[in-house]
Amino acid sequence: GQQVMQIPQYQHVQEGEDFTTYCNSSTTLSNIQWYKQRPGGHPVFLIQLVKSGEVKKQKRLTFQFGEAKKNSSLHITATQTTDVGTYFCAGTLVNDYKLSFGAGTTVTVRA
Amino acid sequence: EAGVTQFPSHSVIEKGQTVTLRCDPISGHDNLYWYRRVMGKEIKFLLHFVKESKQDESGMPNNRFLAERTGGTYSTLKVQPAELEDSGVYFCASSPGRFIYGYTFGSGTRLTVV
């Protein structure tokens, strides 16, 4: 079945630094979504990417969808303590509708 | 608008007992999904309703799990009898359409089977 892999599993970041988390699929995706789950909370939808090579920005967050629509990345600049949480990517296959989630990247921030 | 509501938020039951989880999606959202996250692993798909119909239940672990969505409104997920490996956080999510909408997740039910 489809597998969505995320790396790294854990990311310890110094406040103010940048980091990137990566998402890879074994098959071509129709779209990819990113979610953030704060400690003790539930996944909250951040963004969706649909087009090959698409890049979207939300303030300090930059999301990218690969040209082959098999990978994606989330880059956060100038990390803040509010960025703490687990970031999940989730993709759907062409002509499918259910999301397949990666295992998430759990981010901690050193002040 | 009200979000996706799940209850109970926590449930601790003994192995062999029955537990029923409930999800109230956002009003008007035809699509309702159940997912489960076990001990820091990925969020795994369980099943998908479109209105009252089960569209896909390929992720249901076994026949101890039964989901219903009578009338196409709220949904229940019953585990009977519960086993230790059923422990985890059960999330419900809803969306207004297929393919291109982000899901709105509920706060989840943390199930612990002892």
Side-chain angles (χ1 to χ4, degrees):
Chain A
Q2 178 194 5
Q3 268 196 314
V4 176
M5 308 297 291
Q6 265 188 274
I7 55 171
Q9 185 176 3
Y10 298 98
Q11 183 82 53
H12 307 290
V13 188
Q14 180 70 42
E15 189 174 18
E17 291 185 341
D18 303 351
F19 75 90
T20 304
T21 175
Y22 300 91
C23 181
N24 293 286
S25 169
S26 55
T27 53
T28 302
L29 299 170
S30 172
N31 63 70
I32 196 150
Q33 299 179 6
W34 285 87
Y35 291 78
K36 177 182 178 181
Q37 182 174 359
R38 294 183 183 276
H42 58 277
V44 174
F45 175 72
L46 294 178
I47 207 160
Q48 176 169 267
L49 305 170
V50 179
K51 299 177 183 176
S52 169
E54 189 171 14
V55 178
K56 287 187 176 181
K57 291 189 176 184
Q58 288 181 349
K59 297 182 180 178
R60 295 178 295 103
L61 278 59
T62 301
F63 303 84
Q64 187 167 9
F65 202 7
E67 293 289 341
K69 300 183 75 172
K70 286 187 174 183
N71 57 74
S72 181
S73 64
L74 161 59
H75 181 77
I76 299 182
T77 59
T79 304
Q80 300 177 358
T81 54
T82 53
D83 296 324
V84 165
T86 300
Y87 294 83
F88 293 96
C89 66
T92 58
L93 292 175
V94 175
N95 295 323
D96 201 349
Y97 45 82
K98 62 180 179 287
L99 286 174
S100 294
F101 282 80
T105 294
T106 297
V107 176
T108 54
V109 179
R110 298 188 301 274
Chain B
E1 67 179 358
V4 177
T5 305
Q6 289 186 249
F7 57 90
S9 58
H10 295 83
S11 181
V12 180
I13 61 172
E14 292 184 351
K15 176 182 173 181
Q17 290 186 323
T18 298
V19 63
T20 300
L21 314 181
R22 173 168 169 149
C23 169
D24 287 71
I26 291 174
S27 178
H29 281 196
D30 288 342
N31 295 280
L32 187 150
Y33 304 85
W34 283 97
Y35 282 81
R36 177 174 72 176
R37 189 177 192 212
V38 176
M39 283 299 291
K41 296 187 177 179
E42 73 270 23
I43 301 172
K44 294 196 73 173
F45 170 81
L46 296 178
L47 86 159
H48 169 214
F49 283 99
V50 176
K51 297 184 180 178
E52 68 276 7
S53 299
K54 290 178 185 175
Q55 192 72 17
D56 182 347
E57 53 184 331
S58 61
M60 295 287 263
N62 49 60
N63 59 11
R64 295 185 294 102
F65 289 73
L66 175 64
E68 294 180 324
R69 192 183 182 193
T70 306
T73 54
Y74 71 90
S75 175
T76 58
L77 178 63
K78 180 190 286 188
V79 185
Q80 179 183 30
E83 297 289 343
L84 298 178
E85 63 264 26
D86 300 332
S87 296
V89 181
Y90 290 77
F91 288 108
C92 173
S94 71
S95 71
R98 295 170 66 169
F99 300 116
I100 63 170
Y101 293 98
Y103 293 1
T104 300
F105 278 84
S107 298
T109 294
R110 181 174 296 277
L111 174 66
T112 303
V113 183
V114 296

